[in-house]
Amino acid sequence: MYKSKIIGMGYSVPENIISNNDLSKIMDTSDDWIQSRSGIKERRWATNDVSTSDLALEASRAAIKNSKINSSDIDMIIVGTLSSDYFFPGVSAQLQEKLNLKTIGAFDIKAACSAFIYSVSIADQFIKTGAANTVLVVGAETQTKLIEKSTKGRDVAVLFGDGAGAALLSRSNSESSILSTHLHSDGKHLKSLWMEAPGTSKDSWVNGSIDLSKFTPKMNGREVFRNAVTRFPEVINEALDANDLDINDIKFIVPHQANYRISEAIAKKLNIKMDKVISNIHKYGNTTAASIPIALAEALESNKISKGDIIILAAFGAGFTWASAAIRW
């Protein structure tokens, strides 16, 4: 069986910066209120002329450039997103065309904030079995186009941002590799973080008419927080145990950027300092499927991660889904 490794990463965020003070002009909130509850100072919102596939394309091009391979070497595309340009087909098919790739396999994964790790896990299996050599994995979102930007939608609107991150996975002949991945879900909590429409459920329609209030994300913040601070440490420890590692063997934890308070709770439960937890939520907010690859790409860009370092990616989100990946760089 082969091994896979990440050979290049890239990211893209919209130019449109929305500060907490900007939000206070359109809803009942303040910079102090948002920062104290989430750690977010600003986020990027895509304008009407910027789509999820646009950001995915820019991130993918950066990842291809940083990997120093030819795009023709890519033999599969996997995209994690909740905010594709169209209900169908997926962003992956658009990327195949925009990157002018061969008629390779391309599909989307809808696992919310865990989608990037889910996608990495799938790519890893394809490469391990020899079914693929080089896989483009992307997390991309323009979810803020779906949120209600008012006091009524404040609990969601202050948290989310847009962006994309991409990774190229390829066959590894060295110690550098994806060591393991771990995927979980618990569907009984689905209504704690969901968007009901568009969908085919009879509840998505009222007397044959569209109920527009169902086209915005809804969140039970307390329930999400309670589950996240339990599942994050669990799935991180699962990755450690699977590889006979101790937390002291890890250079960085790269968690989904959901809330700085959640990251602090993770660090406390794992008995580590926050300087071991990669965080950029203050700049970008919660970019859902894009948050981990953006954070990881930035860490690589600033030379925080060196060859041989072991890192753990971890995520928790709607579904509920949660996941982790142990990686030796």
Side-chain angles (χ1 to χ4, degrees), residues 167-233:
L168 274 161
L169 275 68
S170 191
R171 191 175 294 179
S172 172
N173 296 313
S174 67
E175 290 298 310
S176 298
S177 65
I178 309 294
L179 299 177
S180 66
T181 57
H182 311 273
L183 312 180
H184 299 278
S185 68
D186 188 354
K188 70 174 177 283
H189 297 285
L190 73 90
K191 292 186 179 181
S192 291
L193 180 53
W194 72 324
M195 192 173 81
E196 191 172 355
T200 58
S201 166
K202 61 180 174 56
D203 297 326
S204 298
W205 306 87
V206 179
N207 297 324
S209 300
I210 294 174
D211 182 353
L212 293 179
S213 70
K214 296 181 179 183
F215 283 73
T216 57
K218 306 293 192 304
M219 179 174 65
N220 180 335
R222 182 168 299 186
E223 190 68 11
V224 171
F225 188 95
R226 185 180 70 82
N227 279 271
V229 298
T230 298
R231 297 305 190 184
F232 264 114

Side-chain angles (χ1 to χ4, degrees), residues 14 31 34 79 86-87 103 121 124 165 197 200 209 234 239 244 277 300 306:
D31 178 57
I34 296 170
V79 176
Y86 312 110
F87 189 66
T103 53
S121 181
D124 181 47
T200 58
S209 300
E234 279 183 2
D244 196 24
V277 180
L300 290 167
S306 303

Side-chain angles (χ1 to χ4, degrees), residues 29-286:
T29 192
S30 68
D31 178 57
D32 287 343
W33 189 89
I34 296 170
Q35 285 205 53
S36 65
R37 286 161 175 78
S38 68
I40 300 169
K41 297 180 180 179
E42 61 186 37
R43 73 287 292 149
R44 307 296 180 98
W45 283 3
T47 51
N48 288 338
D49 59 335
V50 176
S51 68
T52 299
S53 66
D54 292 329
L55 296 177
L57 178 63
E58 291 180 15
S60 297
R61 284 174 171 165
I64 292 168
K65 180 180 179 181
N66 290 332
S67 70
K68 297 180 173 59
I69 67 164
N70 293 319
S71 59
S72 59
D73 294 331
I74 298 170
D75 47 20
M76 179 171 287
I77 300 172
I78 308 173
V79 176
T81 185
L82 288 179
S83 50
S84 54
D85 295 10
Y86 312 110
F87 189 66
F88 68 87
V91 171
S92 53
Q94 293 174 272
L95 270 184
Q96 179 274 330
E97 189 271 332
K98 290 183 177 185
L99 289 169
N100 195 31
L101 301 182
K102 295 172 289 188
T103 53
I104 58 176
F107 54 93
D108 286 19
I109 296 296
K110 196 154 104 172
C113 303
S114 304
F116 181 74
I117 299 179
Y118 267 62
S119 299
V120 165
S121 181
I122 295 167
D124 181 47
Q125 308 311 313
F126 270 96
I127 292 170
K128 279 180 175 177
T129 60
N133 290 313
T134 304
V135 182
L136 173 62
V137 175
V138 183
E141 305 284 5
T142 55
Q143 191 159 283
T144 68
K145 295 184 179 187
L146 306 171
I147 63 178
E148 186 169 340
K149 301 177 178 71
S150 68
T151 300
K152 183 179 178 182
R154 175 183 61 185
D155 289 350
V156 171
V158 301
L159 296 175
F160 287 92
D162 300 325
L168 274 161
L169 275 68
S170 191
R171 191 175 294 179
S172 172
N173 296 313
S174 67
E175 290 298 310
S176 298
S177 65
I178 309 294
L179 299 177
S180 66
T181 57
H182 311 273
L183 312 180
H184 299 278
S185 68
D186 188 354
K188 70 174 177 283
H189 297 285
L190 73 90
K191 292 186 179 181
S192 291
L193 180 53
W194 72 324
M195 192 173 81
E196 191 172 355
T200 58
S201 166
K202 61 180 174 56
D203 297 326
S204 298
W205 306 87
V206 179
N207 297 324
S209 300
I210 294 174
D211 182 353
L212 293 179
S213 70
K214 296 181 179 183
F215 283 73
T216 57
K218 306 293 192 304
M219 179 174 65
N220 180 335
R222 182 168 299 186
E223 190 68 11
V224 171
F225 188 95
R226 185 180 70 82
N227 279 271
V229 298
T230 298
R231 297 305 190 184
F232 264 114
E234 279 183 2
V235 82
I236 290 168
N237 282 321
E238 183 179 4
L240 292 173
D241 292 344
N243 295 283
D244 196 24
L245 295 169
D246 182 86
I247 191 65
N248 295 315
D249 297 321
I250 306 304
K251 180 67 176 290
F252 289 114
I253 303 292
V254 186
H256 162 56
Q257 306 294 301
N259 186 311
Y260 192 74
R261 289 169 58 207
I262 292 177
S263 293
E264 287 182 315
I266 295 168
K268 184 176 181 180
K269 285 198 172 188
L270 294 173
N271 196 27
I272 58 175
K273 295 181 179 179
M274 277 301 291
D275 61 5
K276 203 165 186 171
V277 180
I278 298 291
S279 177
N280 63 2
I281 194 170
H282 59 289
K283 295 192 294 184
Y284 303 126
N286 180 345

